[in-house]
Amino acid sequence: MSPTSFTPWDHIKQAIKAMIPNLEYTSWIAPLECSSVNSNQLLIKAPNMLFYQKIHDSYLPLIEKIKTELELDHYMIQFDTVNQGAEDSIEELHDLDAVPPHMASGHQLAPKTPTKAFQAESHLNPQYTFANFVKGASNQFAMSTCQAVANKPGQSYNPLFLCGSSGLGKTHLLHAVGNEVIKQNPDATVAYITSERFMNEMIYCIRFGQTLEFRQKYRNCDVLLIDDVQFISGGKKATQEEFFHTFNSLYGAKKQIVMTSDVLPQSIPDIEDRLRNRFQWGLIADIQPPSIEHRVEILIKKASVLGIKLDLDVAEYIARNKKKDIRELEGAVLRLRAFSEIDNVPITLHLAQTIFQDFFVADAPKKLTVEDIQKTVADHFKIKIADLKSKRKHAAIAHPRQVAMFLARKLTPASLPELGQKFGGKDHTTVLHNVKKIERAIVSDLDLRAVVNSLQRNLEHLY
Ligand code: ADP
Ligand code: MG
């Protein structure tokens, strides 16, 4: 990179500068340099691990928000420390309490006595409450189970495993559990952590000889909230091991554990079976993409939190075009506000159309076809597409066929007769019968529900 080139990271930094006190900016943000940019990633170098922790804890939500506002969401921000090697060294450390002397050098040594950093700190976002969460058919099961857990930690569903695609409110609900627990019992110790940070903090503690404090912190809390647990698979063996013992110790003491993941436990790659197994011990609650009515409601709520009254036609226009990710809905509201403030004009449908029309056309997803569904379902059940279209009645064929018909009915606009035709010339009443059968079964059969939801998620990620 030439020294004069202005990277997306520089734009982000400038926006942050305008939003936080100068001293904070020069202390924490200015030293962060972008070391490489490619089409979808910005690699940011932090001077050391301590710095990284600070950014992670205090500035990440702001950075993410600004990224959305500047329409830079397609960049993933990856942090790296200038001082490499800590993570690799973890593999060499069978005794986690041992601190290799070379690793302690070159850093400011943290004090050995428990510091404030190791007293219970929850990292909860006060905005992420149940009151600020808009309930709809797609998330009400997850929300109700979270509320039950918050009202009686450790007593209702333990562990609770929240599962859903990115941007559908998992982190929000996780914080809401923590905020509610503390509201009802201010003395409760709640720890919120992402699995990535769990890993990094552990590395940091090994480096500074604070593994005991690390263990105390996470094994002695009343409620442990672990976000994005799927990333534990990217970690080293020692992280999984530590997490396994943390889990056991909390579970054994009847302390509440809530986890989130964008895939089901059975689909998290590269984790030890004993860990996967524990993830499945309690209840799995999934969150699905919201319906258009639900999206409209969320948009109006998000706008009102920002002090904006959003008209129904504007909300509907955005909701019709932004379908998958609630984060995008928030981004759209922020963008509307920015344009309306800069140009000093009211937020109207006309303004929304002017701002978004090009983006929405570019975003328009390719339509999912019945053939996509047949292929995905056939692959999952390891049968042939021709079997789905056949008249074979054996359960190994008939069941996947019912699932495929159910998903095709749900995810495509095809009519029942059209579906009949695509499934080898069947009558529309047969299709309806099959669709209804799955519809009824998934109410009580949680395994089937998990399979159907996971297939749906895979299909929605196709385009
Ligand atoms: P995830 O963790 O599933 O990727 P988040 O919890 O980070 O998603 O949600 C993304 C954004 O959307 C957050 O700002 C959150 O407040 C908001 N959000 C998600 N679901 C809802 C909802 N049902 N009501 C209000 N806001 C929501
Ligand atoms: Mg999240």
Side-chain angles (χ1 to χ4, degrees):
M1 253 180 300
S2 87
T4 48
S5 66
F6 218 51
T7 67
W9 175 243
D10 295 313
H11 289 286
I12 294 173
K13 268 168 98 171
Q14 275 200 335
I16 299 176
K17 191 173 182 184
M19 293 177 81
I20 63 175
N22 214 6
L23 185 64
E24 252 184 83
Y25 177 80
T26 44
S27 309
W28 294 108
I29 305 294
L32 298 176
E33 293 296 342
C34 181
S35 63
S36 86
V37 185
N38 63 32
S39 59
N40 56 12
Q41 194 189 56
L42 302 175
L43 188 64
I44 310 299
K45 283 253 187 259
N48 57 40
M49 204 63 172
L50 197 62
F51 229 90
Y52 168 77
Q53 289 299 343
K54 173 71 182 171
I55 301 301
H56 194 275
D57 294 349
S58 308
Y59 298 107
L60 217 50
L62 178 67
I63 293 173
E64 288 296 330
K65 206 156 220 159
I66 287 174
K67 218 172 66 169
T68 305
E69 277 186 67
L70 298 176
E71 302 278 349
L72 294 170
D73 266 342
H74 50 289
Y75 284 109
M76 210 174 86
I77 296 188
Q78 197 82 40
F79 285 95
D80 197 358
T81 52
V82 174
N83 200 320
Q84 291 278 324
E87 185 170 341
D88 291 341
S89 59
I90 234 177
E91 265 184 341
E92 302 155 13
L93 286 175
H94 297 301
D95 173 8
L96 293 181
D97 291 319
V99 188
H102 71 275
M103 281 167 66
S105 63
H107 283 266
Q108 280 185 314
L109 274 177
K112 289 240 169 179
T113 47
T115 59
K116 190 159 188 325
F118 288 103
Q119 286 155 16
E121 37 167 2
S122 52
H123 301 291
L124 293 174
N125 180 339
Q127 291 298 320
Y128 286 172
T129 58
F130 289 127
N132 283 345
F133 194 77
V134 181
K135 188 154 95 171
S138 61
N139 60 22
Q140 78 181 25
F141 182 62
M143 183 176 179
S144 309
T145 51
C146 283
Q147 284 172 314
V149 157
N151 290 333
K152 287 193 172 152
Q155 292 176 47
S156 29
Y157 311 109
N158 204 18
L160 174 61
F161 191 98
L162 295 177
C163 183
S165 311
S166 173
L168 295 186
K170 301 181 298 294
T171 298
H172 187 132
L173 279 178
L174 201 59
H175 283 251
V177 169
N179 283 319
E180 185 62 30
V181 167
I182 288 178
K183 189 168 142 197
Q184 292 189 23
N185 176 10
D187 293 332
T189 321
V190 175
Y192 165 87
I193 192 165
T194 62
S195 66
E196 200 189 3
R197 197 187 131 173
F198 185 87
M199 212 151 72
N200 288 333
E201 217 174 85
M202 191 178 129
I203 296 163
Y204 176 87
C205 289
I206 292 169
R207 184 182 282 188
F208 292 121
Q210 297 193 342
T211 41
L212 205 63
E213 288 88 338
F214 178 82
R215 284 180 185 162
Q216 270 172 0
K217 179 176 170 186
Y218 294 110
R219 294 187 193 181
N220 289 342
C221 54
D222 299 312
V223 178
L224 179 62
L225 308 168
I226 300 244
D227 210 355
D228 289 324
V229 83
Q230 75 275 9
F231 293 133
I232 205 99
S233 61
K236 304 288 179 201
K237 242 183 143 188
T239 320
Q240 291 197 26
E241 172 103 17
E242 183 63 25
F243 186 61
F244 178 73
H245 292 301
T246 307
F247 186 103
N248 287 346
S249 128
L250 288 169
Y251 187 84
K254 294 206 166 23
K255 304 295 187 185
Q256 182 69 47
I257 303 159
V258 188
M259 294 171 274
T260 74
S261 164
D262 62 4
V263 288
L264 289 164
Q266 55 264 41
S267 307
I268 302 179
D270 303 326
I271 58 164
E272 291 176 32
D273 281 344
R274 55 181 187 165
L275 207 50
R276 191 191 307 283
N277 179 269
R278 271 160 183 72
F279 290 174
Q280 295 167 317
W281 270 1
L283 182 76
I284 298 177
D286 62 294
I287 309 183
Q288 293 292 319
S291 65
I292 179 153
E293 295 80 13
H294 193 185
R295 295 198 295 277
V296 167
E297 230 186 297
I298 292 171
L299 276 163
I300 290 176
K301 172 89 181 176
K302 289 283 169 201
S304 84
V305 169
L306 292 169
I308 304 166
K309 194 181 162 308
L310 206 60
D311 288 339
L312 199 59
D313 56 349
V314 180
E316 266 180 13
Y317 171 68
I318 299 170
R320 227 178 308 127
N321 289 287
K322 291 264 175 213
K323 294 191 176 144
K324 288 196 182 142
D325 188 333
I326 295 170
R327 206 173 280 122
E328 286 186 340
L329 296 179
E330 273 188 317
V333 174
L334 287 170
R335 204 171 156 77
L336 262 181
R337 182 178 71 169
F339 273 82
S340 128
E341 279 175 4
I342 292 166
D343 294 343
N344 199 15
V345 290
I347 296 177
T348 57
L349 181 61
H350 177 70
L351 178 71
Q353 284 168 336
T354 319
I355 299 173
F356 295 119
Q357 110 191 320
D358 292 344
F359 292 112
F360 287 171
V361 171
D363 280 358
K366 242 183 103 185
K367 290 252 176 350
L368 201 62
T369 62
V370 176
E371 288 74 17
D372 294 327
I373 295 171
Q374 289 173 331
K375 173 156 189 348
T376 303
V377 173
D379 286 351
H380 174 83
F381 288 100
K382 301 193 172 43
I383 60 172
K384 298 196 196 78
I385 294 178
D387 289 331
L388 291 175
K389 298 183 181 178
S390 74
K391 292 199 164 47
R392 292 177 60 192
K393 291 206 166 63
H394 190 283
I397 305 294
H399 175 67
R401 185 184 299 131
Q402 286 158 1
V403 170
M405 286 183 180
F406 169 81
L407 286 169
R409 181 71 178 149
K410 188 169 177 196
L411 304 176
T412 75
S415 66
L416 291 170
E418 272 166 352
L419 287 178
Q421 209 185 19
K422 297 216 178 229
F423 278 86
K426 298 193 173 52
D427 193 71
H428 74 277
T429 52
T430 311
V431 178
L432 185 63
H433 174 77
N434 285 339
V435 170
K436 290 266 174 232
K437 196 161 173 185
I438 298 296
E439 222 168 65
R440 275 194 303 270
I442 54 174
V443 175
S444 53
D445 184 341
L446 291 186
D447 286 339
L448 176 61
R449 189 179 147 120
V451 168
V452 169
N453 285 341
S454 148
L455 284 168
Q456 179 170 341
R457 258 196 299 281
N458 292 344
L459 284 162
E460 282 165 348
H461 277 140
L462 276 183
Y463 298 114

